[in-house]
Amino acid sequence: TQTYHNLGLAFRELGAWLDADEATFQAMRHARMVEDAGLAAIAITGRAELDVARGELDVATRELDRAGELALQADDPIGVAEIGRVRALAALRRGEPGPALAEARVAGQIAREQGSMLLVAECAAAAGGSDCKCCPCAAEAAVAHEAKCGEDGCGFDDHDILIRHVRHLDQQAEHD
């Protein structure tokens, strides 16, 4: 399921909508076959992100509601955070920056508590935080860091940049 989900996201980034739809469909089919609520939540969230990208926001909202129920059922906090990130993208697409920021902050906090620095950076980007002047390469640093080891305090060179970015976002949140 995760592989099909990732393929769907990759195809979406390439603008290959039919391939993205097919990969997402396969992810959802596989999740149903194995009867795993967490995998189903991932697959549905991927489908919703596709719908947001296409501007089908009402459909995406219904899918995210269902995915949220499944992620809670599966006790999957990362899934809940991922859903919040996509909700933030949908809110931005609707022209609602306040709700987008609120969704992204909650999702980012959950991701931070779970130690997923990549998702923290993705949540910041979903809220429009990608233009942060303190460290514009935060998302790249997060990707590189998780690829390296996925642990805090590992000594990875760009880890300090990422931590400064997260602290900067926290300071922004306190002042808002």
Side-chain angles (χ1 to χ4, degrees), residues 26-81:
Q26 292 298 333
M28 292 172 69
R29 187 177 72 78
H30 183 263
R32 277 193 297 270
M33 282 180 12
V34 298
E35 298 179 359
D36 185 307
L39 291 177
I42 290 168
I44 294 169
T45 302
R47 179 67 186 198
E49 190 165 5
L50 258 173
D51 291 333
V52 169
R54 285 190 291 227
E56 298 172 5
L57 303 178
D58 292 336
V59 173
T61 298
R62 288 190 299 273
E63 290 171 334
L64 291 168
D65 290 345
R66 177 69 181 131
E69 293 169 6
L70 291 167
L72 289 174
Q73 178 184 332
D75 192 26
D76 180 9
I78 291 292
V80 170

Side-chain angles (χ1 to χ4, degrees), residues 2-176:
Q2 186 69 47
T3 300
Y4 285 119
H5 168 74
N6 291 341
L7 277 171
L9 295 177
F11 285 134
R12 186 203 70 219
E13 290 298 318
L14 293 171
W17 297 106
L18 292 176
D19 291 329
D21 280 337
E22 178 60 25
T24 302
F25 171 78
Q26 292 298 333
M28 292 172 69
R29 187 177 72 78
H30 183 263
R32 277 193 297 270
M33 282 180 12
V34 298
E35 298 179 359
D36 185 307
L39 291 177
I42 290 168
I44 294 169
T45 302
R47 179 67 186 198
E49 190 165 5
L50 258 173
D51 291 333
V52 169
R54 285 190 291 227
E56 298 172 5
L57 303 178
D58 292 336
V59 173
T61 298
R62 288 190 299 273
E63 290 171 334
L64 291 168
D65 290 345
R66 177 69 181 131
E69 293 169 6
L70 291 167
L72 289 174
Q73 178 184 332
D75 192 26
D76 180 9
I78 291 292
V80 170
E82 185 70 20
I83 291 161
R85 180 188 68 78
V86 177
R87 284 187 191 282
L89 292 173
L92 275 182
R93 186 87 189 247
R94 279 190 184 96
E96 301 170 343
L101 185 58
E103 285 283 359
R105 283 186 177 155
V106 170
Q109 181 60 38
I110 294 168
R112 189 175 301 113
E113 289 168 2
Q114 297 300 312
S116 178
M117 300 310 282
L118 173 57
L119 187 52
V120 169
E122 289 175 335
C123 290
S130 59
D131 63 349
C132 174
K133 304 290 188 279
C134 70
C135 45
C137 60
E140 290 85 357
V143 171
H145 178 254
E146 286 202 356
K148 175 76 173 172
C149 73
E151 297 178 16
D152 289 338
C154 66
F156 182 64
D157 292 342
D158 288 340
H159 188 263
D160 290 337
I161 293 171
L162 183 59
I163 294 302
R164 280 197 308 276
H165 180 70
V166 170
R167 287 185 183 143
H168 176 78
L169 293 173
D170 287 342
Q171 290 170 352
Q172 283 180 327
E174 289 173 9
H175 292 291
D176 290 345

